Amino acid sequence: MSDAVIPRLHDPEHRGFASDNYSGVLPEVLEALAIVNGGHQGAYGADVYTERLGAVVREQFGDRAQVYPVANGTGANVVSLAMLADRWTSVVCARSAHINVDECGAPERLAGLKLEVVDTPDGKLTPELIDSVAYGWGDEHHSEPNIVSVTQSTELGTVYTVEELKAVVDHAHGKGMAVHLDGARIANAAAALDVPLRAFTSDIGVDVVSFGGTKNGLLGAEAVIVLDPDKVKRPLYMRKLSGQLISKMRFVSAQLLALFENDLWLTTARRSNAMAQRLADSVRDVVEITREPQGNAVFAILPPAVTARLQERFAFYVWEDSTGEVRWMCGFDTSESDIDAFAAAVHEEMARG
């Protein structure tokens, strides 16, 4: 009889390309969880690891930064937006934004917000696109567009330059609007731009950041990072009201600490970005790469029959049924051998037609 707590039900050596959420947990994070285990610490954030996390976040984002650990990305976005909003507020975002497409209506239902969506060719907002839907201030018949939400890197795999984001932030602030940055893949964006996290957040005036950890090797740990405390309303209450106040918070804070210590977040993001570039370069001779990789995503066009056969061997998603566009995601644990095996499979299936 095995002494294992549970039986192993999967092949730990098999990795696909469906999502960076599919990956396991960084060894350093598992070690951090073991370190904070044992003994008693205060609940709900009254522990030494959450206190330490606050100091580390201020080192990364500036002296005014405040961090509120949460359990998942939807929670981070809902709490972030709720902190910035009044009940009559609307949020300008790209149509492809996660808060519009993949949150099951949570911003609308839980935070009571209206989303003003904008079609974008590359997932990125511009001042002109914001102006196309941002109007109606002072009109009681119209929700007030008081928040702009941008995603860095975007759902389409693109990355705002610092200058592009600054133009959006300056324009939004000029209209009296707050700016939220959905940073589910913020580490990949910083790695792609080769700049510190603060370069496209606190340094350019972003007000609140949803900081992503799960897609970069954490075990269900995200954070709301308030960069301008003057812009938010009762953040502690908003987190609790949104169901995101975690009792044993030291285990979430420890994961985030592990990611920040020794810039592990950057090492892992650089690795996954590099693997995405390797994948695109390995198959571009047989498939159309629809968007040049900037982060850890590769988008390509495949014939439906090829997609079906490949999905029997490797997990990945169809992005657009009408065109045959697929999305391949690389994670912190994607290896060169994973890329080479998948690229060989793509070549093989394309040759079959």
Side-chain angles (χ1 to χ4, degrees):
M1 178 107 151
S2 171
D3 292 331
V5 176
I6 61 170
R8 187 184 295 281
L9 302 176
H10 78 293
D11 178 1
E13 299 304 319
H14 181 75
R15 286 174 284 272
F17 298 88
S19 175
D20 31 14
N21 277 327
Y22 278 42
S23 67
V25 179
L26 285 159
E28 294 89 344
V29 171
L30 292 176
E31 182 180 352
L33 289 171
I35 289 171
V36 303
N37 196 28
H40 286 199
Q41 278 284 298
Y44 304 110
D47 65 88
V48 293
Y49 298 99
T50 301
E51 181 181 5
R52 169 63 181 159
L53 177 63
V56 170
V57 165
R58 288 190 292 275
E59 292 171 5
Q60 293 280 349
F61 290 93
D63 292 341
R64 301 189 74 207
Q66 300 172 352
V67 60
Y68 301 91
V70 295
N72 55 56
T74 299
N77 283 334
V78 168
V79 173
S80 294
L81 295 172
M83 287 179 180
L84 292 167
D86 293 307
R87 291 292 291 174
W88 52 88
T89 294
S90 58
V91 180
V92 176
C93 64
R95 185 175 299 278
S96 58
H98 201 276
I99 60 172
N100 181 54
V101 176
D102 291 305
E103 305 283 28
C104 195
E108 295 95 331
R109 295 296 299 274
L110 298 181
L113 300 169
K114 176 180 174 58
L115 301 184
E116 295 283 4
V117 299
V118 182
D119 289 313
T120 67
D122 55 5
K124 296 193 283 189
L125 293 177
T126 65
E128 293 75 22
L129 289 174
I130 292 169
D131 284 347
S132 69
V133 295
Y135 58 88
W137 291 277
D139 180 353
E140 66 191 84
H141 302 286
H142 195 282
S143 63
E144 287 196 336
N146 289 333
I147 303 172
V148 171
S149 181
V150 295
T151 311
Q152 177 77 320
S153 54
T154 75
E155 289 76 11
L156 301 183
T158 53
V159 175
Y160 287 88
T161 66
V162 175
E163 293 74 22
E164 287 172 334
L165 262 184
K166 187 177 187 305
V168 167
V169 173
D170 288 349
H171 189 73
H173 284 172
K175 289 179 169 291
M177 305 170 78
V179 179
H180 162 250
L181 187 145
D182 181 349
R185 296 186 175 96
I186 191 172
N188 298 95
L193 295 171
D194 194 25
V195 298
L197 291 165
R198 63 179 299 153
F200 58 86
T201 56
S202 47
D203 284 356
I204 63 169
V206 170
D207 298 303
V208 177
V209 171
S210 298
F211 183 88
T214 310
K215 290 180 170 65
N216 201 19
L218 302 194
L219 178 63
E222 316 276 322
V224 174
I225 301 178
V226 174
L227 302 178
D228 186 350
D230 296 332
K231 292 285 185 68
V232 301
K233 302 175 181 68
R234 308 303 291 273
L236 291 174
Y237 289 85
M238 286 297 184
R239 179 174 60 178
K240 176 66 172 180
L241 184 65
S242 302
Q244 288 293 316
L245 178 59
I246 299 162
S247 175
K248 296 184 180 180
M249 197 179 295
R250 60 172 151 159
F251 293 97
V252 176
S253 298
Q255 295 178 62
L256 292 160
L257 279 173
L259 204 58
F260 283 121
E261 292 292 342
N262 303 312
D263 286 338
L264 179 61
W265 64 270
L266 182 57
T267 301
T268 51
R270 282 174 173 166
R271 184 186 308 150
S272 56
N273 286 4
M275 291 301 100
Q277 188 63 59
R278 182 184 181 94
L279 175 54
D281 292 342
S282 297
V283 300
R284 67 172 71 249
D285 59 327
V286 292
V287 302
E288 177 189 353
I289 303 298
T290 54
R291 300 179 184 89
E292 284 301 316
Q294 294 181 287
N296 61 325
V298 179
F299 292 82
I301 300 290
L302 293 180
V306 171
T307 295
R309 293 196 300 268
L310 276 172
Q311 286 179 321
E312 293 176 358
R313 303 166 65 178
F314 297 88
F316 63 88
Y317 289 119
V318 175
W319 189 257
E320 180 57 60
D321 285 313
S322 64
T323 63
E325 187 176 33
V326 299
R327 187 193 72 171
W328 300 321
M329 295 299 305
C330 296
F332 79 89
D333 57 350
T334 304
S335 67
E336 292 184 357
S337 59
D338 294 331
I339 297 297
D340 296 345
F342 183 62
V346 171
H347 280 82
E348 178 185 329
E349 298 298 349
M350 287 297 292
R352 289 179 59 187

